[in-house]
C-alpha cells in the first residue's frame, strides 16, 4: 500500500515555487544552516509538511532517516527515496532557510499571525503501521478517509467552512486557518490582539449550531438556557435554527444530512475491511454508522462500551461528544479518535478495578449531601494515538485522557475511559517540561520532579476515573443536572475540577493500599503541580470572556495549595534555573490532608449545586473577568501569581501536535 503523505509545498513569498524563488540546495553538507526546532517552526508557518523529529547523530545537520512527511495538509510530496533526499526536499529546505532568515513583516496582522505560529514547538505523533496485516492496513486507510469527512463536518460546525474563501493567500495565514479551525489566533500571546487573524481586517466566526444573528449578543447563551425555553434547544445533538420568529431544535442528522450520510457509508465500507476476529469493533462501527443517519447515539454508545483492550486491536470513537468548542458548552462536537490499543493498561486495571466502590465510598464520606452510587465503570484503557480528527485535533497540545459518553444510559452506568499513553513521552517534550519547571521551582523542589512519565499517567488515570465517581455529569439535584443548575460554562469547569481534585485525593488512598509506593505518589503529586503551572500559563478566559476549564481548575489547585502552605511563593527567590527571580517551594508532607480538604469543598459544591459557592471558589484564585479576554493583565486580586507563571512559560514554545502515518 502507498505511504500516506500529505503536503503543501509553498515558498516563503506567495505562490512561487521554492526552486525558483530561493537558492538551490543539492548537497547534504549544506543542510546544517537551520537549527532543528526552528526548522520545524518555520515549516509549520510556511505550510510545508515536513518534520525533523530527531538529530540522531547530533551533528546539527538533517539526514534522510531523521524526517517524516506530515498528514493534514493538501497535496503530497515524497521527501526521501531510499536513503537519499529527493529534489522536493532540497527545494523545501531552501524555502525554510530563506523564510527563517526573514525579518518581521511590517504588516501588523501578518506579524501577529507569524508570532502565533512560531510560538509553538511542533511535536510529532508518529505511527508505523506497515507491519500490520493487509486487511488491518486497509481498515486504517479507510478510517483515515472517515477522518477527512469528520474534519469537513467539524469545520462546518465551528463556522470555519463559511470563512474559507476570505482567508489571506500568504502561507502563514493559510497555515493558521488550517491548524486553528478558523481565522482566530489561539495562543495566550496573541489571542487578544485584534489584528491577529487569518483574514485581512479580521472576522467574527459564528458557530453553525446557533443562528448567526443571535451570536452578536455576548449573553445569547444565557438567553437560550433561561427558564421556560424548550430543553431540546440546548440538547447536545441538535442545532438551533430560526422558524420565522421562533427557534427550533433541528437534529444533527437533518442539519448535516449529506455529510453524515457520507460518513455512515464510509464506516460501512471500513467494516468490510476488518477481519472476522474484530466482532466487537464491527458491531460498534455498524451502530455508529446507523447513528449518523438516525441521531441515536445512545445505541452506538452501548456497542462502543462493549469494546475493551481484550477484544480489539483498535480504539475507535467516532461521533459527537465534547462541548468545549461551543461558546455555550452544550452542543457536542464531531470527532474521530483513531488509535491502537496499548495492552499495558491491563495490569493497572487489574489493580484498580476492585477499588472502584471504595473510591466512590471515600468521596461520599466527605459530605452528607451525597449518597454513594453503585459504580461499575472500567478503569482506563491505554491507547496509542494514530490520528485525531475534528474536535480531537487541537491547535495546541492533545487530550491525554477522556471519559465518554457524556450523556445517556451508558454514561450513567460508567461508560468507557482511556488514557493516551504515548503522548508527551518524547525527549523534546520532557526536556521542555523540566526547563519550564526549573524556571518556577526552587532547587529543593525541582529535585522532586521525576523525568519518568508514570506520575503523569497515574494522574490521568485518576482524573478520568474521577469523572465516573461522585456527582457526575448526569447527577441531578432537585431535578436539575449540573449544566442546568450551574450553566454550561461553570458546570464544565467544576466537573473538570472535581476530576482533577480526585486525582490528587486518591493518590494517598492508593499508597495506603499498596497499589503505588511512596516514590510513585511523590512523582504524581509533583507532576500534578507542574501540569497546573502549564495550564495557568494559557490564561483564564477566552478572547470573548468564556472560562477556560483546565486553566481555571489549575489556578484553583495552585491557589488552594498556597493558602494551606503546601506551596509558597517567594518573589525574590532565585529559581532552580538560575535565571530571573521568583520561585515556588513545595512541602509535600501536608499535601494528602490538603487534597482531602479541597475534595471535600468540591464535593459539597457539586452535590448541592451551590452555584454561588463555585463562583466564590473560582473568584479567589482565578479572579473575575477583566474584559481583556487573556492573562495579559497582571492580576493583583488573587493568591496565585498568574503574571509570573505566564511570563515564564511565554519564553518556552507550546507543543503543537503534528501527525505522520506510514502504511
Amino acid at each position: 500500500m502507498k505511504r500516506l503523505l500529505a503536503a503543501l509545498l509553498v515558498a516563503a513569498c506567495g505562490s512561487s515555487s521554492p526552486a525558483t524563488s530561493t537558492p538551490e540546495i543539492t548537497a547534504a553538507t549544506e543542510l546544517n544552516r537551520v537549527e532543528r526546532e526552528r526548522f520545524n517552526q518555520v515549516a509549520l508557518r510556511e505550510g510545508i509538511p515536513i518534520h525533523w523529529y530527531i538529530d540522531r547523530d547530533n551533528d546539527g545537520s538533517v539526514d534522510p532517516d531523521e524526517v517524516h512527511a506530515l498528514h493534514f495538509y493538501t497535496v503530497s510530496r515524497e521527501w526521501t527515496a531510499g536513503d537519499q533526499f529527493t529534489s522536493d526536499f532540497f527545494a523545501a529546505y531552501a524555502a525554510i532557510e530563506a523564510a527563517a532568515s526573514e525579518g518581521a513583516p511590517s504588516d501588523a496582522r501578518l506579524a501577529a499571525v507569524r508570532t502565533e505560529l512560531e510560538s509553538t514547538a511542533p511535536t510529532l505523533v508518529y505511527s508505523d503501521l506497515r507491519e500490520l496485516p493487509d486487511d488491518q492496513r486497509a481498515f486504517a486507510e479507510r478510517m483515515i478517509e472517515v477522518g477527512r469527512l469528520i474534519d469537513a463536518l467539524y469545520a462546518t460546525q465551528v463556522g470555519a467552512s463559511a470563512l474559507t474563501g476570505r482567508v489571506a493567500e500568504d502561507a502563514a495565514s493559510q497555515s493558521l486557518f488550517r491548524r486553528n479551525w478558523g481565522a482566530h489566533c489561539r495562543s495566550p500571546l496573541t489571542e487578544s490582539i485584534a489584528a491577529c487573524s487569518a483574514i485581512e481586517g479580521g472576522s467574527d466566526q459564528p458557530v453553525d449550531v446557533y443562528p448567526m444573528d443571535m451570536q452578536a449578543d455576548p449573553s445569547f447563551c444565557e438567553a437560550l438556557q433561561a427558564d421556560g425555553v424548550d430543553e431540546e434547544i440546548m440538547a447536545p445533538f441538535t442545532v438551533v435554527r430560526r422558524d420565522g420568529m421562533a427557534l427550533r431544535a433541528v437534529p444533527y442528522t437533518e442539519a448535516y444530512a449529506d455529510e453524515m450520510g457520507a460518513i455512515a457509508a464510509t464506516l460501512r465500507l471500513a467494516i468490510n475491511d476488518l477481519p472476522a476476529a474484530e466482532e466487537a469493533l464491527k458491531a460498534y462501527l455498524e451502530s455508529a454508522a446507523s447513528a449518523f443517519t438516525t441521531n441515536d447515539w445512545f445505541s452506538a454508545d452501548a456497542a462502543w462500551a462493549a469494546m475493551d483492550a481484550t477484544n480489539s486491536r483498535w480504539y475507535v470513537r467516532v461521533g459527537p461528544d465534547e462541548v468545549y468548542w461551543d461558546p455555550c458548552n452544550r452542543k457536542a462536537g464531531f470527532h474521530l479518535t483513531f488509535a491502537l490499543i496499548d495492552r499495558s493498561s491491563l495490569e493497572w486495571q487489574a489493580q484498580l478495578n476492585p477499588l472502584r466502590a471504595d473510591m466512590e465510598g471515600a468521596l461520599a464520606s466527605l459530605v452528607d449531601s451525597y449518597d454513594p452510587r453503585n459504580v461499575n465503570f472500567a478503569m482506563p484503557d491505554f491507547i496509542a494515538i494514530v490520528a485525531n480528527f475534528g474536535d480531537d485535533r487541537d491547535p495546541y497540545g492533545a487530550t491525554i485522557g477522556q471519559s465518554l459518553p457524556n450523556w445517556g444510559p451508558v454514561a450513567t452506568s460508567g461508560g468507557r475511559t482511556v488514557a493516551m499513553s504515548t503522548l508527551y513521552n518524547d525527549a523534546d517534550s520532557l526536556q521542555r517540561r523540566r526547563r519550564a519547571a526549573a524556571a518556577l521551582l526552587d532547587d529543593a523542589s525541582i529535585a522532586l520532579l521525576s523525568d519518568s512519565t508514570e506520575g503523569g499517567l497515574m494522574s490521568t488515570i485518576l482524573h478520568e476515573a474521577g469523572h465516573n465517581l461522585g456527582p457526575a455529569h448526569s447527577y441531578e439535584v432537585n431535578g436539575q443536572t449540573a449544566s442546568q443548575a450551574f450553566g454550561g460554562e461553570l458546570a464544565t469547569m467544576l466537573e473538570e475540577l472535581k476530576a482533577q481534585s480526585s486525582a490528587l485525593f486518591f493518590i494517598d488512598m492508593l499508597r495506603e493500599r499498596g497499589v503505588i509506593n511512596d516514590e510513585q505518589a511523590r512523582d504524581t503529586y509533583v507532576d500534578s503541580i507542574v501540569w497546573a503551572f502549564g495550564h495557568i500559563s494559557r490564561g483564564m478566559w477566552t478572547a470573548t470572556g468564556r472560562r477556560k476549564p483546565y486553566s481555571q481548575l489549575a489556578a484553583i489547585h495552585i491557589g488552594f495549595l498556597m493558602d494551606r502552605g503546601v506551596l509558597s511563593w517567594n518573589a525574590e527567590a532565585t529559581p532552580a534555573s538560575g535565571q530571573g527571580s521568583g520561585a515556588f517551594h513545595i512541602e509535600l508532607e501536608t499535601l494528602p490532608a490538603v487534597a482531602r480538604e479541597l475534595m471535600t469543598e468540591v464535593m459539597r459544591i457539586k452535590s448541592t449545586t451551590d452555584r454561588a459557592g463555585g463562583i466564590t471558589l473560582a473568584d479567589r484564585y482565578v479572579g473575575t473577568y477583566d474584559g481583556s479576554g487573556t492573562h495579559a493583565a497582571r492580576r493583583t486580586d488573587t493568591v496565585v501569581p498568574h503574571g509570573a507563571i505566564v511570563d515564564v512559560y511565554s519564553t518556552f514554545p507550546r507543543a503543537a501536535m503534528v501527525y505522520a502515518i506510514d502504511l
Side-chain angles (χ1 to χ4, degrees), residues 23 43 45 139 155 171 192 222 241 287 332-333 349 419 437 495 565 573 601 623 633:
R45 183 191 94 190
F139 169 71
S192 63
E222 288 75 11
R241 296 289 187 248
S287 189
Q349 290 171 354
E495 174 58 25
E601 177 61 5

Side-chain angles (χ1 to χ4, degrees), residues 366-389:
L366 298 176
V367 292
D368 295 331
S369 50
Y370 177 77
D371 294 324
R373 296 178 293 115
N374 180 24
V375 293
N376 59 0
F377 65 94
M379 286 292 175
D381 290 326
F382 294 173
I383 62 174
I385 295 293
V386 174
N388 287 320
F389 298 88

